Amino acid sequence: MAETTFGNATQVLEPFRGIKKVTLEEYFTSGHRTCQGCESALVMKLMVKAAGPRTIVLGSTGCMYVANTTYYTTPWVVPWMHTQLGSSGSAALGTAAGLKALMRKGKMKAEPINVIAFCGDGGGADMGLGAISATLTHKEYNSLILLYDNESYANTDIQLSGMTPYGAHTTFSPPGKVHRLIHKRWKKNVAGLMAAGHPECRYVATVCASYAVEMMNKVRRALTIGGPTFIHSLDPCPKGWDYDPMLSHELGELAIETGIFPLYEVEDGVVKYYGKTKAIVEGRPRKPVRDYLLKQGRFAHFTEEDLAYFQEKVDQQWEQWEIPGVVPFRKLDAAQAALNVK
Amino acid sequence: MSALICEVVYRGIFQKNLAARIVRGIVLSARKSERWGIAFGRYGDSPQRNGIPAKDFAIVADTKEELEQNMARYEPKHVDVTICVDDTLSKGVESWAWYGLQPINRLTVPNGTVLMTSLQPFDALLKDIHKKDAPYKLSLIRAKASFSGLWVYKEDHTEVRILGALAKIAPSFLTLDAVAEAIKEMEWGSELKVASARKAFDRMETREVKITEGNPEVPYAFQMPKWWEMREGVTIPAIPIGKPKEGGQGYVPERNPYFKKFSTRTMRPVIDFDTCVKCNLCWIACPDSVFDVMPDGTFDANMEACCGCGVCEAVCPVEDCITMVNESAFDDNASQWEAWRKDKAGYKTWLGAKIGDKKTTVRSHGFRFRGQYDEEIKHDLDSGGVEITAGIPGENADRKTV
Amino acid sequence: MATVTTTKAASEDKELLISGSEAVAESLTLADIDVVTAYPIRPYDTVMQAIAKKIANGQLVAEYIVAEGEHSQFEIVKHASTVGARVFCGSSGVGWMYAMECLVVTPPLRVPMVCLVGNRALDDPGAFGVEHNDALVVRDLGWMLCWIDTSQEALDTTLIAYRVAEDRRIFLPLAISADGAFLTHSQAITMVPPKEKVDRFLPRYDRGDLLLHPDNPITVAPQANEDWVIEIRRQNDEAMKRAVGVIEEAYADFRRIFGRGPENPWFEEYMADDAEVILIGMGTISLPIKVAIREMRAKGKKVGLIRLRWFRPFPFERLVKALSGAKAIGVIDRDYSFGSPFHSGVVANEIRASLYNADKRPPLLSFICGLGGREVTLEDVNKAVDMCDAAARSGKSDAKTHWLGVRE
């Protein structure tokens, strides 16, 4: 057990040292009704594999509720409960508070129990942002909020969310005869937002299940550190992104290799890149975004101009941001900076 | 006074747009001869998932009143024509846990028709299609399953070929001329498509199926509990924890006993246990926790749980160690590892035969790059027709290109 | 029929001058609640202020979470309850509406959450005064609903509420409604019982087979389609029906242990036995009505009051019995239901429906009064009784709904 500042014991979950050391136990098995090649289902599996048996999982409405856990088709070995679309933050907080109260009043056997609440990009980055933000300030309760981001309201048949990439085809942004691009917003930088805005949240990370062991180790780190923590996972979605389900793994890799989705963790205020993102930070060239975009039917309507715009935005993120892909404060050149000082 | 009720059984998402076009086409064709109709999807199938079986319906009737009479239920309980656009569905359909496995011909009326797109011979299909207690007709259009995704449609004329064949099955509702006229008027129609429909009308093959024919297996069923038998608080028991294999080695997760998901599968992984390097990648990357860990450190894909996504093949670093093979090449869900353990040489031969047939290993399960579907269709035409469409294999399997 | 009133028991009580909100806080301390969530909105928030003091002073050990909105406020306690914590929450007016999604899910999940609704007019316009429409929106959803009238009743009902809601036969959420201002903000002499007696009355909350814990692995609220939902609704229907017996049991035990409390849990009957005109209302409206009745009785008019305590489950059988001797009934709603039958308030139509199969159906007049916290005056009550008198004489209901105290 590890003691946190507030005396909340957490489970000490050492990182898995390589794929061969990963536990064989499954706490999320088959039985779910998700798509062939569903990366988010894989995220669920890895998330609880990393967390272990003394875990309670709360799932807000979305694909990982409706497809993943329908009546009598549960895949969960650990206790699992639905929560409302915008409630992942409240579910984590309420469950953790209930356990804490009962344990400190001697009404329940005291032990560290992991509390994980997950949400999709709609539930987490759109509707539930406020509740998550609140939970990340309650440092006396241990909980992990995991946002699985498949970049649309995928359950309800692929509607645009605040996390849908620029220009993508969704049922709310169909390319038409007059307007090729309906969706022109750039997606939110949620992990950065959480890390920058919640000084007492000790751990925020981005993950991709294509890098399974690293992904699990970020979950283990978050649960070990304790207090409220946040993980943002990018999940390729064969249904909404329109690609052969076999390529889920590959598209996850491409999202990282093109620099569109950087992998990093912020622990106690220190940013650390890892995996292929670290290599990019250290100078390895990024793959062009077209290698990623043109493999997906949702970008099939893109022109060269659209591809160039997308590339330019990603370049900006790497070349002009204070911390690539994390903190969107623009660097000033020396001359401008000098002017500002005056 | 009469009505024609059709169902289209298809793969969720992969064939969503295809099925919608077929049922719309049925109604609009029948409208050409002053009939009334309705086209709809089974509400319970929505939202659809890639591969999970789904259904659309089309009902056409002589009068509006008769149409209403057939609409006054949640979904048809019997159909005149069952249209199935992926022949791997002939093994049965499991949409939800509590529906059990439903034979493809379950709703087909006595002497009705099951119309399928398939490259398989009749007898091979009848090994899969469950026996029925009434005779019916099995009609085939020679074509492989047409798969695409939500946004980019594969224009391989499957929808119009079904309509052309249907004109032969139910000419009193849809004449071939009416079908042709309707196709021309539809926003996705063309003269070329009209020609395809007429060809299908001519080329459709039909065979009577007797009650003695078909797969004798009794599909598994689920008894739905009464309200007072259900647990309160909308709760169901969790899945129990798994166990090691023999001698405390390996690991087999417990699986949901009510929903097996294998009817979602269109291809299955075939594993070469002799070349497996025990890297664990297939096991860790499987979204359905399909891989049982064997005592020797290899991995056996559980065929009741596998939905056939192919991610395992994509991540496997060894050539031909995991190969996705079309589901039609198999007759059961038996363990490959047990077969290998019993007879290694025999297994090697079996494996060679399964993965050596390009017709069953070629993949066409949706978008891989812009222009892919056009290339595929061009390839079909170049190779002398649309009968066999070559798919584009994964990056990891370039060698499989036809 | 046990009306035990041992003076010894009463003498163990502590006498405090407290408001309805403070009385609820006393009960919550005695019930040793585990998790409570607060968010400010008048008038209910006075109870949260009272609890905060209890916690700050060490009288109560509980997780006190200030949420970032009512939606979260109710979700947090919902989840705390599923892991076995005794919880408390509350709201008023549009705050209660903001939590609506979370109020809807608690009955099917069988979460025995206890709440205080400080009744308040719904926006717009923003107004603090009492109207019952806020609490009433949950009347069809599987929430148990009751109205209280005094600080003492606030204290007693809160203890009864936990006992009933957390009964395994029920496991349904329960909202105690208290009229804004009149009850939440006025102080009255209240008897607070000792903890030892409360422990005898109120067992520990045992979530049992529904506990969300690694030792009891279950999947809660998986998504369900048309093959399951009606069965789940039927289960809730049964739980609400069972609540009738459990509520009667709880009041009987309460009287046995605490030596006070009503014999009839469902409604208070004030001079109703021999009344020719019976007025019906909920909450603190009883005060002006009782005063008016006393004046009328002095003049020889046989008028009585039925003050409904429980609205869900609705005591329709007992009400029919109690109303069978009346010559006319006047229902005074402190709520509205625009476009409803006869354009009446909610309570009037519930009573009309209850009487439909009765052998004797006295004329029923419907009144809407005191909206937005407007004072219900003796004149209003007298006017209502006069109209009821006329109906009693003619033996006919009128088809109108009369608004009292509105400028015309």
Side-chain angles (χ1 to χ4, degrees):
Chain A
M1 276 191 230
E3 292 292 319
T4 62
T5 341
F6 277 75
N8 316 332
T10 60
Q11 296 176 41
V12 177
L13 303 166
E14 296 292 345
F16 295 126
R17 308 268 175 218
I19 194 167
K20 297 277 188 186
K21 304 286 186 205
V22 174
T23 175
L24 294 183
E25 298 277 1
E26 302 287 2
Y27 304 106
F28 171 94
T29 79
S30 58
H32 51 84
R33 268 182 95 258
T34 55
C35 290
Q36 287 184 8
C38 176
E39 185 92 340
S40 297
L42 176 61
V43 167
M44 297 293 115
K45 174 180 111 165
L46 299 174
M47 173 185 86
V48 280
K49 202 185 221 337
R54 304 307 279 176
T55 300
I56 295 174
V57 181
L58 297 317
S60 68
T61 311
C63 263
M64 289 304 101
Y65 172 47
V66 176
N68 194 49
T69 314
T70 40
Y71 212 69
Y72 278 105
T73 66
T74 185
W76 297 98
V77 173
V78 291
W80 181 94
M81 182 180 174
H82 173 228
T83 192
Q84 295 311 108
L85 181 55
S87 293
S88 57
S90 309
L93 185 54
T95 305
L99 292 173
K100 184 172 182 184
L102 294 170
M103 288 180 194
R104 77 179 171 121
K105 291 166 85 170
K107 294 182 180 178
M108 181 185 276
K109 194 187 100 199
E111 64 163 323
I113 293 176
N114 298 321
V115 174
I116 306 178
F118 65 76
C119 50
D121 46 303
D126 283 353
M127 190 190 263
L129 197 63
I132 295 172
S133 175
T135 297
L136 294 185
T137 63
H138 284 275
K139 59 183 175 182
E140 62 273 42
Y141 304 115
N142 300 329
S143 68
L144 165 63
I145 291 163
L146 187 141
L147 184 147
Y148 68 94
D149 173 15
N150 51 25
E151 301 195 318
S152 78
Y153 287 83
N155 179 56
T156 42
D157 273 347
I158 318 300
Q159 291 89 358
L160 173 64
S161 85
M163 300 294 271
T164 301
Y166 173 86
H169 188 161
T170 70
T171 46
F172 281 0
S173 57
K177 286 176 183 141
V178 175
H179 302 287
R180 188 180 71 258
L181 302 184
I182 296 289
H183 173 48
K184 293 179 179 169
R185 293 149 62 191
W186 197 257
K187 79 181 266 185
K188 288 185 195 178
N189 179 7
V190 178
L193 179 70
M194 295 308 177
H198 303 87
E200 303 217 83
C201 163
R202 292 186 54 205
Y203 190 81
V204 170
T206 63
V207 299
C208 177
S210 296
Y211 307 98
V213 177
E214 280 168 317
M215 181 264 177
M216 283 189 285
N217 285 342
K218 303 304 164 204
V219 170
R220 288 169 80 80
R221 187 71 195 135
L223 293 170
T224 303
I225 286 180
T229 50
F230 182 83
I231 289 180
H232 176 191
S233 172
L234 181 75
D235 302 1
C237 166
K239 173 181 171 182
W241 298 12
D242 191 358
Y243 63 82
D244 181 340
M246 188 193 224
L247 303 182
S248 281
H249 191 85
E250 187 182 322
L251 279 161
E253 291 177 334
L254 281 169
I256 315 305
E257 288 167 349
T258 52
I260 291 171
F261 188 75
L263 294 176
Y264 61 91
E265 55 188 340
V266 185
E267 187 176 327
D268 289 327
V270 178
V271 184
K272 229 162 72 188
Y273 295 94
Y274 71 92
K276 289 199 175 154
T277 301
K278 186 161 175 266
I280 296 172
V281 172
E282 287 165 358
R284 181 173 164 168
R286 281 175 277 128
K287 285 191 177 170
V289 296
R290 63 185 302 132
D291 287 8
Y292 170 74
L293 300 178
L294 292 182
K295 285 203 157 81
Q296 303 170 47
R298 63 175 172 160
F299 298 114
H301 57 292
F302 263 31
T303 60
E304 283 303 323
E305 188 191 349
D306 301 332
L307 291 165
Y309 177 80
F310 206 107
Q311 184 67 61
E312 188 194 320
K313 291 288 280 188
V314 175
D315 290 347
Q316 267 176 22
Q317 173 177 301
W318 282 90
E319 290 155 15
Q320 296 179 24
W321 285 17
E322 190 68 35
I323 303 171
V326 185
V327 184
F329 299 127
R330 302 270 295 278
K331 280 183 191 166
L332 300 175
D333 61 33
Q336 261 184 310
L339 279 173
N340 276 16
V341 171
K342 284 177 202 164
Chain B
M1 286 281 286
S2 56
L4 174 76
I5 307 173
C6 301
E7 64 173 345
V8 181
V9 189
Y10 64 98
R11 294 283 175 198
I13 304 299
F14 288 134
Q15 300 184 314
K16 182 181 181 174
N17 295 325
L18 170 65
R21 284 187 180 193
I22 292 170
V23 290
R24 279 178 61 79
I26 292 171
V27 173
L28 292 172
S29 300
R31 189 77 196 111
K32 291 291 163 201
S33 34
E34 300 299 314
R35 288 197 168 75
W36 297 95
I38 180 172
F40 59 103
R42 184 166 60 181
Y43 187 65
D45 290 334
S46 177
Q48 294 179 13
R49 317 290 169 188
N50 283 56
I52 301 237
K55 270 186 192 182
D56 277 1
F57 296 96
I59 306 174
V60 294
D62 290 346
T63 63
K64 278 187 176 174
E65 288 71 24
E66 204 171 353
L67 184 65
E68 265 179 21
Q69 202 176 318
N70 283 292
M71 282 163 54
R73 52 175 72 92
Y74 189 76
E75 61 185 61
K77 296 283 182 280
H78 56 82
V79 299
D80 300 298
V81 184
T82 296
I83 298 165
C84 169
V85 280
D86 173 18
D87 63 356
T88 60
L89 286 162
S90 62
K91 293 188 173 188
V93 171
E94 188 191 21
S95 299
W96 294 93
W98 49 91
Y99 287 180
L101 188 73
Q102 306 202 340
I104 189 73
N105 55 14
R106 197 177 77 97
L107 299 188
T108 321
V109 295
N111 300 312
T113 304
V114 174
L115 170 63
M116 291 178 100
T117 53
S118 180
L119 298 176
Q120 297 187 64
F122 282 101
D123 290 346
L125 283 169
L126 286 170
K127 268 190 178 171
D128 291 338
I129 300 175
H130 293 84
K131 269 187 177 179
K132 194 172 169 68
D133 56 5
Y136 65 98
K137 293 184 221 37
L138 179 60
S139 293
L140 299 181
I141 298 171
R142 291 304 176 185
K144 62 176 271 188
S146 170
F147 282 1
S148 55
L150 281 181
W151 313 132
V152 189
Y153 186 72
K154 186 173 181 180
E155 287 285 8
D156 60 4
H157 296 203
T158 300
E159 78 283 84
V160 293
R161 299 176 76 206
I162 294 285
L163 293 173
L166 200 58
K168 192 157 195 178
I169 294 166
S172 54
F173 289 91
L174 291 88
T175 64
L176 186 57
D177 287 341
V179 166
E181 210 181 322
I183 291 171
K184 254 187 283 181
E185 286 173 17
M186 272 181 273
E187 63 168 6
W188 40 265
S190 69
E191 288 292 348
L192 199 60
K193 285 199 163 180
V194 171
S196 288
R198 290 187 187 279
K199 254 188 219 171
F201 181 92
D202 294 334
R203 289 183 182 174
M204 184 183 77
E205 300 164 30
T206 299
R207 173 198 194 286
E208 300 274 347
V209 182
K210 296 198 261 309
I211 57 169
T212 51
E213 292 179 292
N215 179 357
E217 163 206 72
V218 178
Y220 60 89
F222 178 80
Q223 189 67 42
M224 301 207 3
K226 299 187 171 58
W227 73 265
W228 45 269
E229 292 171 326
M230 288 160 58
R231 287 181 60 125
E232 289 188 310
V234 206
T235 53
I236 53 171
I239 304 296
I241 191 83
K243 292 180 215 60
K245 284 284 285 182
E246 57 220 47
Q249 298 287 302
Y251 183 80
V252 180
E254 197 69 42
R255 295 191 164 89
N256 187 306
Y258 309 113
F259 188 62
K260 301 182 189 298
K261 207 181 180 182
F262 65 80
S263 78
T264 296
R265 188 168 66 222
T266 49
M267 296 182 98
R268 69 164 69 174
V270 173
I271 301 166
D272 189 342
F273 299 97
D274 291 319
T275 60
C276 172
V277 294
K278 304 175 187 176
C279 69
N280 292 25
L281 285 174
C282 59
W283 168 75
I284 201 115
C286 176
D288 290 79
S289 311
V290 161
F291 289 90
D292 292 345
V293 187
M294 296 294 106
D296 61 0
T298 61
F299 298 91
D300 189 24
N302 181 296
M303 283 302 143
E304 292 223 314
C306 172
C307 69
C309 66
V311 166
C312 51
E313 179 188 303
V315 298
C316 180
V318 180
E319 189 167 329
D320 291 339
C321 178
I322 299 182
T323 312
M324 296 302 288
V325 178
N326 193 281
E327 189 57 24
S328 59
F330 305 91
D331 295 327
D332 60 33
N333 284 334
S335 159
Q336 295 174 9
W337 188 81
E338 291 294 348
W340 170 74
R341 176 155 76 165
K342 267 184 220 135
D343 176 7
K344 295 205 162 96
Y347 184 79
K348 193 99 193 154
T349 314
W350 177 85
L351 177 121
K354 291 296 178 201
I355 70 173
D357 183 356
K358 282 256 155 65
K359 269 189 209 169
T360 55
T361 55
V362 156
R363 190 175 170 88
S364 178
H365 281 61
F367 193 88
R368 280 164 179 264
F369 57 87
R370 194 148 69 173
Q372 165 202 344
Y373 296 146
D374 297 338
E375 270 184 34
E376 284 181 19
I377 292 160
K378 186 170 173 300
H379 185 98
D380 295 336
L381 296 172
D382 290 348
S383 61
V386 288
E387 271 74 37
I388 298 167
T389 304
I392 311 294
E395 243 187 24
N396 193 40
D398 285 339
R399 61 199 176 279
K400 283 182 211 135
T401 312
V402 170
Chain C
M1 295 288 103
T3 341
V4 191
T5 39
T6 60
T7 38
K8 189 173 172 288
S11 69
E12 288 167 7
D13 289 352
K14 201 165 50 177
E15 206 180 284
L16 297 176
L17 177 64
I18 48 177
S19 70
S21 291
E22 288 164 329
V24 172
E26 288 298 330
S27 273
L28 298 173
T29 307
L30 289 166
D32 189 29
I33 56 163
D34 302 309
V35 178
V36 56
T37 51
Y39 189 80
I41 185 168
R42 284 179 67 177
Y44 111 97
D45 55 358
T46 46
V47 72
M48 292 302 173
Q49 294 163 14
I51 300 166
K53 274 190 194 157
K54 291 270 182 204
I55 290 175
N57 292 331
Q59 292 158 281
L60 172 65
V61 177
E63 306 302 314
Y64 183 93
I65 298 171
V66 180
E68 95 294 353
E70 286 89 353
H71 189 278
S72 292
Q73 200 192 349
F74 281 83
E75 278 293 271
I76 291 167
V77 287
K78 177 191 95 182
H79 283 280
S81 177
T82 64
V83 296
R86 176 169 286 165
V87 299
F88 180 77
C89 195
S91 196
S92 288
V94 288
W96 179 246
M97 300 295 133
Y98 195 67
M100 194 65 202
E101 183 189 33
C102 316
L103 304 182
V104 167
V105 295
T106 44
L109 290 171
R110 308 298 286 276
V111 167
M113 163 195 301
V114 171
C115 301
L116 180 72
V117 182
N119 294 131
R120 166 181 173 156
L122 296 172
D123 290 3
D124 266 336
F128 305 140
V130 54
E131 272 175 15
H132 292 165
N133 280 83
D134 53 359
L136 283 171
V137 293
V138 299
R139 68 186 174 161
D140 300 329
L141 303 175
W143 276 76
M144 292 183 280
L145 269 175
C146 65
W147 261 262
I148 52 176
D149 187 16
T150 63
S151 291
Q152 189 65 57
E153 203 171 44
L155 186 143
D156 295 354
T157 306
T158 306
L159 295 174
I160 291 168
Y162 280 107
R163 160 89 180 239
V164 171
E166 292 173 359
D167 188 302
R168 179 65 189 87
R169 292 166 288 177
I170 315 297
F171 269 12
L172 287 175
L174 193 157
I176 302 166
S177 280
D179 289 358
F182 299 107
L183 184 53
T184 53
H185 286 63
S186 11
Q187 299 176 12
I189 300 292
T190 309
M191 309 302 253
V192 182
K195 173 90 169 104
E196 169 273 324
K197 274 193 195 171
V198 173
D199 290 344
R200 267 163 57 208
F201 173 71
L202 182 61
R204 281 262 292 269
Y205 169 39
D206 180 1
R207 186 75 178 147
D209 59 324
L210 301 186
L211 183 74
L212 193 71
H213 188 277
D215 292 339
N216 182 48
I218 47 172
T219 291
V220 183
Q223 203 258 355
N225 72 355
E226 69 279 356
D227 290 319
W228 301 100
V229 176
I230 196 169
E231 281 77 17
I232 292 164
R233 301 285 179 254
R234 181 69 185 83
Q235 289 183 332
N236 264 56
D237 173 56
E238 200 62 21
M240 187 60 95
K241 284 175 181 160
R242 283 196 296 259
V244 174
V246 173
I247 288 169
E248 292 191 345
E249 246 177 66
Y251 275 83
D253 264 3
F254 190 90
R255 285 197 308 277
R256 188 173 54 75
I257 292 167
F258 298 98
R260 63 161 181 274
E263 272 182 53
N264 174 0
W266 306 104
F267 44 85
E268 176 190 0
E269 291 171 275
Y270 183 77
M271 299 192 186
D273 275 357
D274 64 338
E276 290 173 356
V277 169
I278 296 181
L279 297 178
I280 303 177
M282 300 197 296
T284 55
I285 203 171
S286 67
L287 265 172
I289 296 178
K290 283 178 183 170
V291 173
I293 286 174
R294 283 196 289 271
E295 286 178 5
M296 286 184 265
R297 284 270 175 181
K299 291 176 197 156
K301 257 189 178 173
K302 287 185 172 177
V303 183
L305 163 71
I306 287 182
R307 177 179 64 88
L308 273 176
R309 279 192 201 96
W310 287 86
F311 187 83
R312 286 290 182 268
F314 194 79
F316 59 97
E317 280 160 330
R318 290 192 74 149
L319 266 174
V320 167
K321 237 182 182 172
L323 294 171
S324 64
K327 291 195 171 135
I329 304 164
V331 184
I332 305 182
D333 271 285
R334 205 160 206 170
D335 60 77
Y336 48 82
S337 178
F338 299 128
S340 70
F342 308 99
H343 305 281
S344 291
V346 173
V347 182
N349 278 331
E350 294 282 306
I351 289 170
R352 281 193 181 104
S354 302
L355 288 167
Y356 188 79
N357 285 329
D359 295 333
K360 284 181 73 183
R361 276 179 290 177
L364 186 148
L365 270 65
S366 163
F367 303 96
I368 286 175
C369 190
L371 296 189
R374 175 71 53 89
E375 182 186 350
V376 177
T377 62
L378 297 186
E379 291 73 46
D380 293 334
V381 180
N382 287 331
K383 205 171 157 191
V385 171
D386 286 346
M387 281 190 262
C388 288
D389 269 343
R393 282 193 297 275
S394 70
K396 277 185 194 156
S397 303
D398 63 11
K400 279 196 280 186
T401 294
H402 307 277
W403 288 58
L404 300 175
V406 64
R407 290 187 296 277
E408 297 187 310

